[in-house]
Amino acid sequence: AANPSGEARAQLEYNAGPILSSTAGTDATGDAEVSLAADSLVCVFAFFTMTNVPTNAHIHAPAPEGSNAGVIVGLFGALSDLGGNDYEINGCFEVTDQRYAWIRDGLAYINIHT
């Protein structure tokens, strides 16, 4: 794995459109959007350009910006290769009330591993 700890990361801020940025010193970039729906449903849309092929993607929490935390939602099954170095995550995931609150309160981040 090129960047097992993550090539790109974005702190999730509810309705704020977080920016994915490289955490591994690469040129990885992107945008993410998270929406919260009733019944503890979180929907994620992210478009990003990586320098390596993604091997996993997650939401981690609880973690204030700059901190690390465990995985609370696996996103890799919703990952699509758009060609070149472009990728997309598009899916909705059911979460517990506590995990919903962490995402709503800005205590979660998306991490893309390569």
Side-chain angles (χ1 to χ4, degrees):
N3 296 290
S5 297
E7 182 173 335
R9 175 176 167 156
Q11 192 75 19
L12 299 179
E13 298 177 29
Y14 181 47
N15 287 333
I19 303 298
L20 286 161
S21 58
S22 176
T23 57
T26 71
D27 292 329
T29 60
D31 295 296
E33 181 179 314
V34 174
S35 59
L36 298 171
D39 300 323
S40 296
L41 194 66
V42 58
C43 296
V44 177
F45 175 75
F47 172 81
F48 46 96
T49 300
M50 305 295 281
T51 58
N52 296 287
V53 176
T55 57
N56 224 327
H58 307 101
I59 296 177
H60 295 256
E65 190 165 355
S67 299
N68 294 321
V71 172
I72 64 165
V73 178
L75 302 174
F76 196 66
L79 183 104
S80 299
D81 184 343
L82 302 178
N85 293 327
D86 295 333
Y87 298 87
E88 170 183 281
I89 293 172
N90 192 359
C92 294
F93 310 89
E94 193 169 330
V95 296
T96 64
D97 290 345
Q98 179 62 69
R99 292 174 178 187
Y100 185 92
W102 289 334
I103 294 167
R104 180 197 63 220
D105 296 342
L107 295 174
Y109 62 93
I110 290 178
N111 198 5
I112 312 297
H113 305 265
T114 59

